[in-house]
Amino acid sequence: MTKKVVERVQGLNGTIKVPGDKSISHRAVMFGAIANGKTTIEGFLPGDDCLSTISCFQKLGVHIEQNEDEVTVYGNGWEGLKEASEILDVGNSGTTTRLMLGILATRPFHSVVIGDESIAKRPMARVTDPLKQMGAKIDGRGEGNFTPLSVRGGGTNGILYNSPVASAQVKSAILLAGLQSNGLTSVTEPYKSRDHTERMLTAFGVELEEKNTTVSVRGPQMLKAQHVTVPGDISSAAFFLVAGAIVENSTITLTNVGINDTRTGIIDVLNNMGARLQLKNEKVVNEEKIADLTISTSKLSGIEISGEMIPRLIDEIPVIAVLATQANGTTIIKDAEELKVKETNRIDTVVNQLKKLGANVEATEDGMIIQGPTKLTGGEVASFGDHRIGMAMAIAGCIANEEIVIHGVDAIDVSYPNFFEHLNELI
Ligand code: S3P
């Protein structure tokens, strides 16, 4: 485990091109792997999670070449996937696990899926239950709720599924299975989750229908190879958006950031708190909106974050909690019980680590309550193997009165391998 000392900074200034979007990078590789022809990806995120996706599909017989942020996937259609002689190791990646399960559910062969300690604790029944209802044979600990999981796919039928959670991973897994199942597959969720799957499947030639929070596909369908340009990840940009707002004497520009409406909860939160944030050069690339974002040191007020907003910023809550420690008044985050089943229980990890730095924060059943502003103190904190906790702590370190020591910063490689280089460039 690696540790890092972060000291208070006097200002953060400059321009950063954040790495490629993690959700879109995973999907580009997977959809390329099941498409017919050569898919080329530029701006791919070479973080550990997306590299796990590449390695799993290579084990399934797909030829994939990767050179930093450029990837070529030589797809041979659904039939191009072959029974792997090795275990498929997803590492720390929930997206790899759940979306790949959706694909494997329709493949007429046996697969074994395993991941790291964190993955072994994350609930998979949310996808394995509906996939079993479609006809896939899936087993594992807790009747198929936890890895290691074994899958024997094939012979699946469509499903009309009412998902109890707003989860793009659940929605995507079922839709992917639906593409190779008989008849109609339809997923309805309580709130709309990120829609990268819908957008990219359409670009790959799939016909799907969207109505309110329901998405439907009819099987069987084939995918046609594409060129994918991956926008910068707003979830990675979020760390520097918060840093720019709370560190004195700062102005930070983040270029080429994906601003898909299902992901921009962080922009709404910053605006609602009163941050000095500007969007420029808006355009659409590959069905996805992008823009350059500029943020400057801001006077902030506490707000309530709840309901349909939650899926639009679920991954940003660790750093939003840091932001809220510097806002005037109370910030209430609720309806966010999904935080408990992320890479760590993020209600516990965020609250416990921020308390060590002197923040006034209390956990609730479905979120947290933060009183601000507080001056953060130094201390020793840990990522607990969770990339976003590690980065949120580093941003807290930029405003703490004394140095902070962060244990387990290697976890940050999952989504932002050059995070500290970018931070240093801004100092
Ligand atoms: C993701 C969806 C979200 C998000 C995760 C990536 C995706 O999870 O937290 O980091 O790529 O589909 P859920 O859909 O399970 O909420």
Side-chain angles (χ1 to χ4, degrees), residues 36-96:
N36 286 293
K38 179 170 137 184
T39 286
T40 44
I41 309 169
E42 64 174 285
F44 174 80
L45 167 65
D48 289 347
D49 265 15
C50 300
L51 296 177
S52 294
T53 291
I54 290 186
S55 120
C56 287
F57 282 84
Q58 284 172 331
K59 287 181 184 162
L60 288 164
V62 183
H63 180 56
I64 305 174
E65 289 163 6
Q66 182 243 336
N67 185 4
E68 303 201 341
D69 70 346
E70 289 190 6
V71 178
T72 308
V73 186
Y74 297 87
N76 282 310
W78 292 93
E79 310 299 324
L81 299 187
K82 304 287 179 212
E83 190 165 71
S85 57
E86 289 172 80
I87 285 171
L88 304 172
D89 187 348
V90 301
N92 188 244
S93 175
T95 308
T96 311

Side-chain angles (χ1 to χ4, degrees), residues 42-251:
E42 64 174 285
F44 174 80
L45 167 65
D48 289 347
D49 265 15
C50 300
L51 296 177
S52 294
T53 291
I54 290 186
S55 120
C56 287
F57 282 84
Q58 284 172 331
K59 287 181 184 162
L60 288 164
V62 183
H63 180 56
I64 305 174
E65 289 163 6
Q66 182 243 336
N67 185 4
E68 303 201 341
D69 70 346
E70 289 190 6
V71 178
T72 308
V73 186
Y74 297 87
N76 282 310
W78 292 93
E79 310 299 324
L81 299 187
K82 304 287 179 212
E83 190 165 71
S85 57
E86 289 172 80
I87 285 171
L88 304 172
D89 187 348
V90 301
N92 188 244
S93 175
T95 308
T96 311
T97 318
R98 299 201 177 103
L99 271 61
M100 186 170 67
L101 284 168
I103 292 173
L104 295 175
T106 68
R107 296 300 87 212
F109 54 68
H110 179 248
S111 309
V112 179
V113 179
I114 196 169
D116 69 6
E117 265 173 61
S118 152
I119 280 291
K121 291 188 201 136
R122 298 183 66 185
M124 297 301 158
R126 52 178 59 198
V127 296
T128 56
D129 279 352
L131 294 173
K132 285 195 270 190
Q133 285 170 36
M134 295 174 85
K137 294 186 180 62
I138 306 178
D139 211 344
R141 288 184 303 125
E143 294 181 26
N145 195 18
F146 300 110
T147 57
L149 291 165
S150 93
V151 186
R152 184 170 291 279
T156 46
N157 292 311
I159 188 175
L160 306 182
Y161 191 68
N162 237 322
S163 174
V165 278
S167 160
Q169 296 182 355
V170 171
K171 173 175 64 177
S172 304
I174 298 170
L175 290 175
L176 285 166
L179 290 178
Q180 281 291 289
S181 300
N182 294 318
L184 183 71
T185 291
S186 193
V187 185
T188 302
E189 44 185 358
Y191 298 118
K192 189 174 162 101
S193 64
R194 64 189 65 186
D195 65 358
H196 304 301
T197 292
E198 295 89 308
R199 286 171 190 276
M200 202 187 292
L201 281 179
T202 305
F204 275 73
V206 165
E207 279 184 25
L208 56 82
E209 236 180 72
E210 289 176 80
K211 204 172 167 206
N212 304 321
T213 62
T214 301
V215 191
S216 310
V217 291
R218 211 168 262 288
Q221 291 199 51
M222 318 274 262
L223 282 69
K224 286 194 286 285
Q226 295 299 313
H227 177 73
V228 181
T229 306
V230 182
D233 198 327
I234 191 163
S235 297
S236 298
F239 296 98
F240 292 115
L241 289 174
V242 168
I246 65 175
V247 174
E248 59 197 0
N249 309 316
S250 299
T251 294

